[in-house]
Amino acid sequence: MDDLGFNKIAGAVLATGLGIMILMKLPAILMPDADESIAYKVGPIETTTVEADVDLPFPQADWVAAMDAAKGAKVFKKCTSCHNVEDGGANGTGPNLYAVVGADKASHADYSYSAALDALPGEWTYENLDGYLEKPSAYAPGTKMNFIGLKKPADRAAVIEYLRVNGSQSLAKPEPAVAELEISTPLEEPIVETEQSMEEPPVDVTDETVVEPTE
C-alpha cells in the first residue's frame, strides 16, 4: 500500500472518531442547563394512612364495662342536693329518680317539670339518659336543671347503673353495639350485545379474459 492509500484510511478513522466524540458532547453543548439528576428512583413506597370518622353506635363495650353501681353511688353524691333514689322518696328541687331508667320522660308524679322536659317524647333509655347527663342544657334547652353535666362517659355509665339497680333491676344491662360498615361495590358496566350481520361479505370477482392460444 502506498503512502496515499494509508493516509486516506488514517484520515477516515480519525474523522470517524472525531464524529463520535462530537455526537457524545452534542447534548451538553445544546442543553447546558439540563438537569442531570436521576429521573427514576427505586426505593420503598410511601403509604399514607387515612383515618375516617365513623359514628359508632351506642353503647360501645367500654361504656357497658363502666356500668359500676358502687362507683355510680359515689358520683351520684353530686346530685343528692336535688335528687334521691329512695322508693317513695319525696321530690326535692329535682324529681325523685327511683325507677327512672326505662320510665317515660317527665312522668314522676307530683313534680312540676319544665316545658323543655315536658316536650321531650319517649323513654329514659340508656342512650337518652347518657345524652341528658352529659349536658342537660344541650339535650333539653330551657330545662330547669342547672347542672353542668358529667363529661366522662365512664361516670355517666356508672351513675346510670346506680339508677338501674334502684328500681329498674328488671331492665337488663345493654349489650355492646356492633358497628355495621357498608361496603359499596362498583357497578359493572352493562354488556351490550350486538347482532352480527348474517350477510356474507361481498366477493371481489375479477373478470377473467380467456385467451385462446393461437396456432
Side-chain angles (χ1 to χ4, degrees):
M1 179 184 296
D2 57 9
D3 292 341
L4 180 58
F6 177 79
N7 290 338
K8 289 182 179 181
I9 294 175
V13 171
L14 291 175
T16 302
L18 181 62
I20 294 174
M21 293 179 61
I22 293 175
L23 290 175
M24 293 176 62
K25 297 293 184 179
L26 187 60
I29 297 173
L30 297 178
M31 297 181 291
D33 298 329
D35 187 5
E36 296 181 357
S37 59
I38 300 174
Y40 298 95
K41 183 179 180 181
V42 178
I45 301 175
E46 297 181 359
T47 59
T48 302
T49 303
V50 179
E51 296 183 358
D53 294 333
V54 179
D55 292 331
L56 298 176
F58 180 91
Q60 289 297 292
D62 55 349
W63 193 96
V64 176
M67 297 182 71
D68 183 344
K71 178 182 177 181
K74 297 177 181 179
V75 180
F76 188 77
K77 291 180 179 179
K78 300 178 181 181
C79 313
T80 53
S81 60
C82 299
H83 301 278
N84 70 80
V85 293
E86 298 174 4
D87 186 6
N91 295 320
T93 305
N96 175 277
L97 297 179
Y98 183 79
V100 68
V101 182
D104 292 335
K105 296 175 183 176
S107 62
H108 190 76
D110 303 325
Y111 183 80
S112 178
Y113 291 91
S114 64
L117 277 178
D118 276 331
L120 291 179
E123 301 175 348
W124 282 124
T125 62
Y126 292 114
E127 186 171 6
N128 287 336
L129 281 170
D130 182 79
Y132 184 69
L133 291 176
E134 182 178 7
K135 191 173 184 180
S137 60
Y139 186 89
T143 179
K144 295 188 298 184
M145 185 173 177
N146 186 20
F147 178 60
I148 191 172
L150 300 175
K151 302 304 179 185
K152 295 181 179 179
D155 287 348
R156 299 196 298 271
V159 167
I160 292 172
E161 175 62 5
Y162 175 68
L163 295 175
R164 187 188 74 86
V165 301
N166 284 278
S168 302
Q169 298 96 327
S170 60
L171 190 66
K173 283 186 176 182
E175 294 292 333
V178 179
E180 295 182 0
L181 300 179
E182 295 183 359
I183 302 176
S184 59
T185 55
L187 297 177
E188 296 182 355
E189 296 183 359
I191 300 176
V192 180
E193 296 183 356
T194 58
E195 296 182 357
Q196 295 182 349
S197 174
M198 300 299 293
E199 297 180 359
E200 296 182 357
V203 179
D204 184 12
V205 180
T206 304
D207 292 337
E208 296 182 357
T209 303
V210 178
V211 179
E212 296 181 356
T214 58
E215 295 180 356

